[in-house]
Amino acid sequence: MSHPLSIEHDLHSAMAGGGLGDGAFNALALRVFKHQFDNNTAYQNHCKALGVAPENLTHWHEIPAVTTDAFKFVECPLVTFPIGQTQKTFLTSGTTSELKGCHHFPSLDLYDRSITASWQELALPRPENSIFLTPEPGHAPHSSLSHMMGVLSDTHSRKSIWAVDASGRLDMESITAAVTGNRPVALLGTALAYLHLFEQLTHPLTLPPGSWAMETGGYKGTMRQLEKGDLYRMFTNKLGLAPDSIINEYSMTELSSQFYTRGLAHPHTGPSWTRVRVINPFTETDALAGEPGHLVIYDLANLHSVMAIRTQDLASRSGADLADGRNAFTLLGRDPSALPRGCSRAADHQLRPS
Amino acid sequence: MTTDDRIQLLADACALPCVENLLGKVTACDLSAWIAAELGKVSALDAFRPHGPLHSKAIAPGNILHIVSGNTPHAAIQSIIRGLLLGSHNIIKLPSTGLSGLTGCIDRFPVDLQTLIETHDSLTDELLAKSDAIIAIGSDASIEAIHQRTLPHQIFIPHGHKVSMGIVYGDFENAARLAARDVSLYNQQGCLSLHAVYVHGDSLAFSGLLAGEMEKFTVENPQHGLSLSEAGAIRNLRETTRFRAANDPTTGLYESQQSLDWTVIHEPSPALTLSCLNRCVYVKPLPEKINPDTLGPESRHLSTIAIHPFGQDRAASLTHLPAHRICPLGQSQQPSLFWHHDGFAPLASLVKWKDLG
């Protein structure tokens, strides 16, 4: 049996190694699965009910995935360690009446390493002079996004401005002051925060040359809906940023790694310790190239919970993604069926003004 | 056209299969009795009638705007029939997804009724302005947005987000058959579809019986036309439940094999849980005290509670719950012509009165 410290050590090495090939990924994935099967009781029960055990698996495709909703059940936490040893818990967003998903960690060493190593492996620009449109980590201790921003700030940034205060208000003065110099700035925040920024700007900002932005997240829990193309047009009109200067980050509380794309017409790509499948929900088999399905993510950095996560996000994969980039996909958006349903809510229509 | 003329024409329209399949058999006598029950006399809209020391006449709205949702033509047809019976001109704002079941049906109405109907794809300020009454069927957010565009003199009748549930007290075999029908009909797209069935007694045993009846219903009424999104939602619900069931013996998953046709989930929590629709239903033990607190926040959206065996006393014992209708199990999807939709008297709520004397 692999000792958890040995697997974690090997994962750190893999992240430092600049790329995990298919064979190495598969071997490590099977070790991670065995570790999780042996030590995560709730997941083991699930696997046994499916008739799956480490000794009868040969490929990471066969590793059972759990849904993101499985992280919501406090009575059966998805952890490979005694819950009392939890050092950090990230919670999903949602209304107070909704059950929140909990992702527990005995330490954040591997989590933080995944953030910084992904950034390096995917050759993303260093956010040296940053404006974060999220609460700083101390103000949002259960937000995995704020934590990630904190890691990026600590790792790369010489100067960081946290432009969302504890009550969620944008600090417009700090933002406008921060972009007046001639050093390129990096803006990092949620799509919703950018919308608020654009609405509050009385005139377009001119960012220094070489500036760029990272946006993440959708409009979950709000009445807002905006196509990505429309949002990026606003970036151009309000900040002078071309689409290729905008990076989109895709991740979730239930994962430990992130996927990135730049501009409008490129797939998301993750680090080499992740793999993805796009599953046709009718057949539960891989969707054909170009056909939409639901995204299933295999993230080895999720060592302390479950590595295989079934999302409710729709995606597709091109022939090129399937041939070359096993961790690349085109995100099609949040599945509308994942929203609360009921009479009329089920097929609600947008009111179209005349 | 007098009320009697409209009743005769509407009786012909109600005999069309596309209406009868939704509303059941509706005769001219039924329509007469309905209008008399709500307005006092069948002729209430045609002449001044004694009303205490006064003479009064019901005045129908000149124009009724029906804003209908895309999930089922059921509520839309009901709404339009109410408007036609009153003799109003009916403006229908169709959902962006269209509603071919409704428009195809209207095209077969008697010509004299068709002249009282017009359909539109978008909701313009002009349509809103010329409406004396507005009936809005949709999500709470849509209803709120429409309400903000109405004027004080306009009658506004909202039919927002609603769900229904069942309660079984005994006679499990018959109850399972009746519940399967109420769950499966229209694929839970309507307000009267059951999302959960509460069971007094062995709820796990009832789940198994219900699963069998869901399968039988599907054989006779195949499930078809699921979208990718809907299929994904069912699959996600099943896999989440599978995980829970592996960790909790009181959770049970019963599912159609090699298909997404139907799903029955037994779970111990008494909270009313919304289904992801398309023949997915929760079975739960009936709590000792059933009230809005034990049912949770979704209970405020209750439309109908379907119970078995039905009895007036038993039904009356549930009137402290927010539902406006308590009916026999197996009939949740076929409300009486006389029902008070979401608590509104559908004809009386639309008319105003003129008094002489």
Side-chain angles (χ1 to χ4, degrees):
Chain A
M1 176 179 127
S2 291
H3 191 278
L5 287 176
S6 152
I7 301 176
E8 184 157 1
H9 176 269
D10 290 350
L11 281 166
H12 276 284
S13 300
M15 289 175 183
L20 205 54
D22 284 353
F25 178 89
N26 194 56
L28 203 43
L30 294 175
R31 282 176 63 202
V32 170
F33 171 63
K34 178 166 171 40
H35 167 66
Q36 294 180 339
F37 182 91
D38 290 344
N39 296 285
N40 182 333
T41 306
Y43 184 54
Q44 183 187 100
N45 291 339
H46 180 58
C47 292
K48 283 180 174 173
L50 294 169
V52 175
E55 55 272 19
N56 53 34
L57 293 196
T58 57
H59 195 275
W60 60 266
H61 268 213
E62 301 161 322
I63 294 171
V66 297
T67 62
T68 54
D69 287 336
F71 284 78
K72 293 180 176 175
F73 305 122
V74 289
E75 65 277 17
C76 40
L78 286 162
V79 288
T80 58
F81 55 93
I83 194 78
Q85 292 177 13
T86 300
Q87 291 294 316
K88 186 72 173 180
T89 298
F90 293 128
L91 300 176
T92 55
S93 55
T95 62
T96 47
S97 64
E98 282 176 50
L99 282 174
K100 290 178 187 285
C102 309
H103 198 174
H104 306 288
F105 295 85
S107 103
L108 289 173
D109 291 352
L110 191 62
Y111 190 91
D112 292 354
R113 185 59 182 269
S114 178
I115 293 167
T116 56
S118 294
W119 209 260
Q120 198 167 352
E121 189 177 290
L122 300 171
L124 296 164
R126 289 163 61 90
E128 291 178 349
N129 183 25
S130 308
I131 303 169
F132 293 102
L133 304 182
T134 62
E136 56 184 295
H139 290 159
H142 296 300
S143 163
S144 55
L145 179 63
S146 281
H147 178 83
M148 176 191 148
M149 298 299 195
V151 171
L152 292 175
S153 173
D154 293 346
T155 309
H156 298 292
S157 203
R158 290 185 214 159
K159 185 183 175 191
S160 292
I161 289 167
W162 297 89
V164 175
D165 67 17
S167 64
R169 271 195 315 251
L170 276 177
D171 181 353
M172 296 299 288
E173 261 181 55
S174 296
I175 295 168
T176 48
V179 302
T180 52
N182 48 20
R183 286 181 55 219
V185 297
L187 284 132
L188 302 95
T190 62
L192 201 55
Y194 282 110
L195 273 188
H196 287 300
L197 170 66
F198 298 152
E199 283 164 3
Q200 290 177 48
L201 282 175
T202 50
H203 55 84
L205 287 179
T206 306
L207 302 185
S211 296
W212 55 276
M214 186 186 90
E215 56 94 10
T216 185
Y219 309 98
K220 195 173 136 190
T222 73
M223 291 298 296
R224 311 298 290 267
Q225 285 292 335
L226 199 63
E227 291 295 322
K228 192 174 177 181
D230 295 332
L231 178 68
Y232 281 27
R233 256 188 299 282
M234 292 171 90
F235 271 98
T236 304
N237 296 338
K238 298 284 188 177
L239 302 175
L241 291 175
D244 282 350
S245 305
I246 307 163
I247 293 165
N248 172 270
E249 183 257 8
Y250 168 83
S251 190
M252 55 187 64
T253 304
E254 299 84 354
L255 293 172
S256 300
S257 298
Q258 301 78 33
F259 297 79
Y260 299 93
T261 181
R262 189 189 284 262
L264 284 166
H266 308 290
H268 279 80
T269 308
S272 59
W273 51 93
T274 63
R275 292 292 186 273
V276 299
R277 293 173 72 194
V278 172
I279 301 290
N280 176 325
F282 291 103
T283 61
E284 284 295 88
T285 56
D286 290 280
L288 299 173
E291 289 198 348
H294 287 81
L295 194 58
V296 180
I297 296 173
Y298 300 78
D299 179 7
L300 300 189
N302 255 15
L303 177 68
H304 305 298
S305 54
V306 176
M307 62 166 285
I309 305 295
R310 184 187 185 110
T311 79
Q312 293 185 76
D313 291 318
L314 288 170
S316 69
R317 309 189 71 189
S318 69
D321 296 340
L322 291 162
D324 305 323
R326 301 197 170 215
N327 45 8
F329 57 88
T330 298
L331 196 63
L332 303 174
R334 182 79 170 161
D335 186 333
S337 289
L339 300 171
R341 312 296 300 279
C343 171
S344 307
R345 223 196 249 181
D348 191 32
H349 56 280
Q350 293 292 319
L351 288 171
R352 289 173 301 178
S354 53
Chain B
M1 224 188 316
T2 65
T3 303
D4 278 338
D5 295 337
R6 290 194 302 277
I7 285 172
Q8 292 307 319
L9 290 168
L10 267 174
D12 293 343
C14 289
L16 292 167
C18 59
V19 181
E20 196 169 304
N21 289 344
L22 295 173
L23 305 187
K25 196 162 179 60
V26 176
T27 65
C29 285
D30 296 329
L31 293 165
S32 295
W34 180 28
I35 206 164
E38 286 211 32
L39 303 183
K41 290 273 182 191
V42 181
S43 57
L45 290 149
D46 302 321
F48 284 89
R49 314 284 315 176
H51 181 67
L54 308 172
H55 279 70
S56 302
K57 180 182 172 186
I59 308 297
N63 291 307
I64 301 176
L65 172 62
H66 308 260
I67 301 168
V68 302
S69 70
N71 45 349
T72 166
H74 202 146
I77 285 279
Q78 278 187 3
S79 189
I80 292 155
I81 282 173
R82 292 163 188 166
L84 290 171
L85 188 56
L86 292 175
S88 301
H89 187 76
N90 296 273
I91 304 158
I92 303 165
K93 156 62 179 74
L94 295 167
S96 54
T97 49
L99 203 56
S100 56
L102 175 70
T103 48
C105 191
I106 289 168
D107 288 344
R108 292 197 282 279
F109 276 22
V111 174
D112 286 348
L113 292 183
Q114 284 190 46
T115 59
L116 295 176
I117 301 171
E118 57 181 271
T119 58
H120 294 266
D121 292 328
S122 57
L123 183 61
T124 64
D125 289 340
E126 185 191 0
L127 286 183
L128 276 162
K130 73 176 187 181
S131 301
D132 303 291
I134 296 158
I135 300 168
I137 303 165
S139 71
D140 291 349
S142 288
I143 300 252
E144 178 59 29
I146 295 159
H147 198 189
Q148 286 177 2
R149 295 170 70 184
T150 60
L151 299 167
H153 72 271
Q154 294 173 316
I155 295 168
F156 182 70
I157 298 182
H159 294 298
H161 165 57
K162 293 287 175 190
V163 296
S164 295
M165 61 180 249
I167 303 179
V168 171
Y169 295 95
D171 186 22
F172 280 9
E173 288 193 13
N174 282 318
R177 180 176 47 80
L178 296 167
R181 176 182 167 78
D182 277 352
V183 170
S184 304
L185 215 56
Y186 313 122
N187 294 337
Q188 292 173 299
Q189 300 289 324
C191 314
L192 307 178
S193 305
L194 309 188
H195 285 241
V197 181
Y198 290 82
V199 179
H200 178 72
D202 189 346
S203 49
L204 264 169
F206 179 81
S207 300
L209 290 170
L210 179 58
E213 292 296 338
M214 295 286 284
E215 177 64 25
K216 282 184 199 167
F217 188 94
T218 296
V219 169
E220 291 164 20
N221 307 272
Q223 163 87 283
H224 52 78
L226 282 181
S227 70
L228 185 84
S229 241
E230 290 168 325
I234 296 169
R235 196 66 78 175
N236 186 74
L237 178 64
R238 284 184 177 189
E239 295 314 308
T240 302
T241 307
R242 207 181 307 284
F243 169 78
R244 285 195 81 180
N247 286 283
D248 170 17
T250 64
T251 297
L253 173 66
Y254 308 77
E255 58 192 321
S256 56
Q257 297 304 301
Q258 311 301 321
S259 78
L260 297 172
D261 287 345
W262 57 265
T263 309
V264 175
I265 293 165
H266 180 274
E267 64 173 33
S269 160
L272 178 60
T273 313
L274 278 186
S275 153
C276 67
L277 313 187
N278 296 300
R279 305 186 185 182
C280 296
V281 63
Y282 290 92
V283 175
K284 293 163 175 274
L286 181 67
E288 205 169 311
K289 285 185 178 166
I290 186 163
N291 56 45
D293 288 338
T294 53
L295 293 180
E298 263 325 313
S299 67
R300 70 178 183 274
H301 299 295
L302 271 173
S303 164
T304 291
I305 301 173
I307 64 176
H308 184 83
F310 183 83
Q312 288 294 341
D313 290 349
R314 184 169 273 157
S317 74
L318 297 168
T319 52
H320 63 289
L321 294 171
H324 285 287
R325 174 174 170 246
I326 298 155
C327 73
L329 191 65
Q331 293 177 32
S332 84
Q333 305 273 20
Q334 279 90 27
S336 157
L337 202 58
F338 289 73
W339 81 306
H340 293 97
H341 190 170
D342 294 348
F344 291 98
L347 303 177
S349 298
L350 285 167
V351 303
K352 291 184 176 174
W353 293 85
K354 283 199 179 184
D355 297 333
L356 302 180

